[in-house]
Amino acid sequence: MSIFGRLYDLTWRRVRHLGGVALLGRAVAARLVTPPWDGREIIRQLEAMGVRSTNLAAVIALFTGMVLALQTAYTLAAFGAKLYIGEVVGLSLIRELGPVLTALMVGGRVGSGITAELGSMTVSEQVEAMRSLGADPLRKLVAPRMLALLMGLPLLVVFADIAGIFGGLLISTWELGLTPGFYFSHVLRLLQFGDFLSGIGKSVFFAFAIGLIASYNGLSATGGADGVGKATTDTVVAVAITVLVLDFFLTKLFLAL
Amino acid sequence: MSETRPVVVEVHELRKSFGAHTVLDGVSLEVLRGETVVVLGGSGEGKSVFLKHVNGLLRPDHGSVSVLGCNVSELPEDEMVGLRRRVSYIFQQCALFDSLTVGENVAFPLREHTDLGDSDVARHVAVLLERVGLAGTETLAPSELSGGMRKRVALARGLALDPEVILYDEPTAGLDPLTGLAITALIGEVTRTTGATSLVVTHDIAVAAKLADRVAFLSSGRFTFTGTMAGAARQGGDVGRFVRAGGVYA
């Protein structure tokens, strides 16, 4: 095949892939807003995805907060930035780092899990069996995972924000000799409710994107264990890129609002 | 066989390709109510692809598939539910849900399509499992079952809604000969007791000999023979060779 042929082939596959994701997104969105919802399955997924990700989110945010405080204090010491550690840590975490890092880490963990699970079900004909039994796989399999992500990721972001601010507190008090009261007063000084909402708002979009990419890759997996492995890797890469790209556009959007 | 029985499954000029590879190239078949038709053919001839068209898991590129009076090839997916309650599909790999127990697998169609309470569902599940010789296995996980047991559970799940048509995809694939015989006998008993119309896809001549009212031989995307097993065994060419190679017919 010529280089143009290969380019055409690659482009066409990408377009089909994006089209497939968009169609799945529309179909899943319709099922998210119309009953019935499987409450028991949503809670099970929320436990599997959300509760079991709390340690991961907390550790990452805690150390990010600590590093932010250290970097701010030492790198910008010449500008007297030590006094502004609270503002830098608070704003950075709540507006940006909390939602993005949580989405990247949890997206990788949860997204790959969704793809592996749905992919295994697809290649072992369980998804077809569900259809043949008159059940809707999008409603039974995708919607509960998506709803769990939509509820779980914003909560994890709040949790990560708290852990990150606590990390900043540890460095501020132990390393830099600031008092907790001084640190918290500066964290809250510039912070507005809109900042908090913008971080949570981002996490909702991230959750939908993670669920959609993971579900699409799982449901379109082919070729046995090898195919499931490939789909899972694709999900981790696609989730990371999508979260970062989406973050840019969402930041522009929320700043404009 | 009374020819006045209504046609339950009607496939007309079905064609299906995957990319450049044509799998089914103008396949036609009629199955009468209560009849058991076995689709024979070598590996990779498209038998499972044919069967998946019958309950709408695949859509034809050309031609039509009608089951119980519904045009499956044109029915939207969300309108297929009513038909799928009446048509069971027993998958080659059994396709039991890994995350559910045996009991929950068998209960799945009951919970999905009936308003039965927990105790009624449990009672139905117990009866179904006893019917396939697996009484008391409700709490086992599918991973704890042997191949033959998995087939039986899949059959129990398939029988949960008293289907009028049962589609079997390679029901004895991967089983030892004795377990294969037991599953074949169980399918025969189910067919007799329920009166369901059965379409069985297999390359196992022993299964076809035991179950078939008629066989259809699929080769190169077409049915090259339709008739009785004895008639198939008397055929020359690929059909006769394939049937005689099973060792059941001399």
Side-chain angles (χ1 to χ4, degrees), chain A residues 40 50 119 125 173 189 211 244:
Chain A
R40 204 161 30 174
E125 295 184 316
T173 51
R189 199 165 69 91
L244 293 173

Side-chain angles (χ1 to χ4, degrees), chain A:
Chain A
M1 194 187 284
S2 72
I3 190 159
F4 292 110
R6 256 184 268 171
L7 200 62
Y8 173 81
D9 194 43
L10 184 72
T11 310
W12 179 236
R13 265 189 288 142
R14 290 281 170 233
V15 169
R16 280 180 56 131
H17 183 86
L18 284 175
V21 173
L23 286 174
L24 180 67
R26 193 180 66 172
V28 172
R31 283 156 179 84
L32 292 181
V33 295
T34 54
W37 298 284
D38 187 345
R40 204 161 30 174
E41 180 63 10
I42 293 167
I43 290 170
R44 199 175 75 84
Q45 293 297 334
L46 203 51
E47 199 269 335
M49 295 177 189
V51 177
R52 292 188 191 171
S53 298
T54 47
N55 288 346
L56 180 70
V59 169
I60 287 163
L62 180 78
F63 281 91
T64 303
M66 289 163 74
V67 170
L68 255 179
L70 271 177
Q71 289 284 16
T72 308
Y74 288 107
T75 315
L76 304 177
F79 305 102
K82 188 175 159 183
L83 300 176
Y84 300 105
I85 286 173
E87 286 89 338
V88 171
V89 170
L91 275 176
S92 312
L93 273 166
I94 285 173
R95 290 189 72 102
E96 199 61 43
L97 292 173
V100 172
L101 288 179
T102 308
L104 284 174
M105 293 301 116
V106 174
R109 179 188 172 273
V110 171
S112 58
I114 292 174
T115 302
E117 195 177 1
L118 295 186
S120 301
M121 290 186 75
T122 302
V123 299
S124 61
E125 295 184 316
Q126 290 177 56
V127 175
E128 278 196 330
M130 200 167 269
R131 285 175 62 206
S132 81
L133 289 166
D136 175 1
L138 296 188
R139 192 173 286 286
K140 299 291 285 187
L141 299 173
V142 179
R145 284 163 176 77
M146 191 68 99
L147 281 169
L149 262 172
L150 287 168
M151 289 187 265
L153 193 60
L155 290 174
L156 283 170
V157 167
V158 173
F159 192 63
D161 289 345
I162 294 168
I165 289 169
F166 182 70
L169 172 73
L170 291 180
I171 294 300
S172 300
T173 51
W174 288 349
E175 286 266 334
L176 309 171
L178 302 177
T179 64
F182 180 86
Y183 173 76
F184 278 120
S185 69
H186 278 261
V187 166
L188 296 172
R189 199 165 69 91
L190 293 182
L191 214 54
Q192 294 176 346
F193 191 61
D195 299 321
F196 178 72
L197 281 186
S198 120
I200 297 300
K202 280 181 181 179
S203 70
V204 172
F205 285 95
F206 293 155
F208 193 77
I210 292 166
L212 200 55
I213 291 165
S215 302
Y216 180 81
N217 284 342
L219 293 174
S220 55
T222 53
D226 182 47
V228 176
K230 189 179 170 304
T232 306
T233 310
D234 288 349
T235 293
V236 175
V237 175
V239 161
I241 294 171
T242 305
V243 165
L244 293 173
V245 172
L246 201 55
D247 183 49
F248 170 76
F249 289 105
L250 289 172
T251 302
K252 290 277 283 180
L253 176 74
F254 285 123
L255 284 175
L257 289 176

